[in-house]
Amino acid sequence: MVEGSPSALPAFLISAPFDDATADTILRSSDGVDFHVYRIILSCASPFFKDMFSLPQATSTDLGLPIIPLSEHSRLLDNFLRVWYPGAKTVPFENIDQLADVIELALVKYDLEYLAPFLQKQLLSFKELRCLSVFAIACRYGWDDIVKDAARQSLTFELHWLIGGNSSHLKYITGHNFQALLRYHAACSLAASSAGRLLPWADADYTWIQCTTCAAHTVERPVPGLDRRVRPRAWIFQYLDDAAAVLKQKPGANVKDPGLVVGAHHKIMACHTSTCCRLNGLRDLSKFIAEKYVPAINEAIDAVPLRI
């Protein structure tokens, strides 16, 4: 388990409810901090503790209470107990490693399976920045929905980032799991980058079709859904080509990002012989992206299976 370097941290100070003088049991952490708890609560919460109480326990010489020595450091033990102990105030997890340690204690060591929904919710909160770790942890515990969410989030990163990703939690999953993630990313890359050219972007209402007075047109192109060839403005292809290139690297990229639209915008403003592009080009492009392009990308990605 990852606990950092506890010895380098300030001394841990016990706080409510684990300083209860009327409690009947002491949990002693590896660094000698005593947590005062109630035996009945521990027994009801975990078969591990229930079985432990059937064995003889050492007794505190000054308080006369049974002492259960644990291998966890006081900070980890405090985080763990606060997740489920009655009356304890839950504190936010500072990082995903801290949460992973608590998940391991709850599910592997102490068999508190009923905590799984809460722990899954906490794990999801880290998926945007630590999707690779979230993926690995979810694979380890068989949390399929979170595995899929984390895999989908990984699409906002380039494939080489996943390959070189540094996560200590990958050691808990198989090569098959990780290979499945890489294959999923590659398949989504192809699906997302191809989505734009499969759309009926030659709707007669769009500015890039209506504007015909400027010489800066492309060659005739076949259009999905139409039995004719059209001569749309060059800037729609500028945008679709730029977007496809980005999506090929990062299938979950935001195609509404201003940085991606800027190339098309320059060509729109270069339309000097007609005002329709300059007046309505960005409006129509934004409408096309929101109403057709983004849904098409999402639909294409949704059709890609994650084979774990």
Side-chain angles (χ1 to χ4, degrees):
M1 289 178 286
V2 179
E3 297 180 44
S5 301
S7 59
L9 298 174
F12 181 81
L13 299 177
I14 203 74
S15 60
F18 308 121
D19 55 358
D20 188 348
T22 65
D24 58 14
T25 302
I26 293 175
L27 298 182
R28 179 163 291 169
S29 66
S30 61
D31 55 328
V33 177
D34 289 348
F35 290 75
H36 293 242
V37 293
Y38 288 91
R39 177 181 300 211
I40 186 62
I41 294 177
L42 300 181
S43 295
C44 291
S46 166
F48 177 92
F49 284 117
K50 186 176 182 179
D51 292 341
M52 181 176 290
F53 289 131
S54 66
L55 302 174
Q57 305 295 326
T59 302
S60 170
T61 56
D62 52 345
L63 298 176
L65 299 179
I67 298 176
I68 301 177
L70 300 177
S71 59
E72 287 73 43
H73 188 270
S74 54
R75 286 177 173 80
L76 173 56
L77 187 56
D78 187 71
N79 287 331
F80 166 66
L81 290 173
R82 288 188 180 282
V83 170
W84 59 272
Y85 195 87
K89 181 180 180 181
T90 303
V91 296
F93 293 101
E94 297 177 359
N95 53 64
I96 196 170
D97 293 330
Q98 188 182 82
L99 173 59
D101 285 344
V102 170
I103 292 175
E104 183 174 357
L105 285 185
L107 303 184
V108 179
K109 184 171 182 178
Y110 295 115
D111 195 21
L112 277 68
E113 187 62 37
Y114 64 90
L115 293 179
F118 170 80
L119 296 172
Q120 289 177 33
K121 183 178 179 180
Q122 297 297 309
L123 185 60
L124 275 173
S125 68
F126 287 97
K127 75 173 183 179
E128 290 189 11
L129 295 177
R130 299 294 304 274
C131 60
L132 192 57
S133 292
V134 172
F135 175 84
I137 294 170
C139 281
R140 182 185 181 189
Y141 296 106
W143 295 342
D144 293 343
D145 289 343
I146 300 181
V147 169
K148 294 176 182 178
D149 280 345
R152 183 65 177 261
Q153 187 63 39
S154 76
L155 301 180
T156 61
F157 298 93
E158 296 184 12
L159 187 61
H160 71 78
W161 180 89
L162 295 180
I163 296 174
N166 182 20
S167 171
S168 62
H169 305 286
L170 288 174
K171 63 187 176 184
Y172 293 115
I173 66 173
T174 65
H176 169 78
N177 292 146
F178 189 60
Q179 187 180 56
L181 178 63
L182 300 183
R183 286 177 172 171
Y184 171 76
H185 194 286
C188 288
S189 170
L190 178 61
S193 62
S194 302
R197 292 305 181 89
L198 300 178
L199 290 173
W201 43 260
D203 189 308
D205 292 333
Y206 288 133
T207 302
W208 52 83
I209 299 297
Q210 291 180 354
C211 181
T212 59
T213 58
C214 180
H217 279 67
T218 65
V219 296
E220 292 183 350
R221 299 284 185 99
V223 180
L226 297 181
D227 58 0
R228 60 184 175 85
R229 302 171 77 88
V230 296
R231 293 174 60 86
R233 304 289 288 162
W235 54 264
I236 184 60
F237 291 110
Q238 174 78 48
Y239 169 74
L240 289 173
D241 289 344
D242 290 348
V246 171
L247 291 169
K248 192 170 184 179
Q249 299 299 317
K250 296 189 292 186
N254 177 17
V255 293
K256 295 183 285 186
D257 187 278
L260 190 55
V261 180
V262 67
H265 180 250
H266 288 321
K267 290 185 179 297
I268 289 173
M269 300 310 293
C271 182
H272 299 300
T273 59
S274 174
T275 59
C276 62
C277 282
R278 302 181 77 174
L279 287 178
N280 301 319
L282 281 179
R283 179 205 65 186
D284 283 1
L285 181 59
S286 296
K287 183 178 180 181
F288 167 77
I289 294 172
E291 296 181 357
K292 293 187 177 180
Y293 197 19
V294 171
I297 293 170
N298 290 333
E299 183 178 355
I301 290 176
D302 287 342
V304 177
L306 175 64
R307 304 186 187 281
I308 295 295

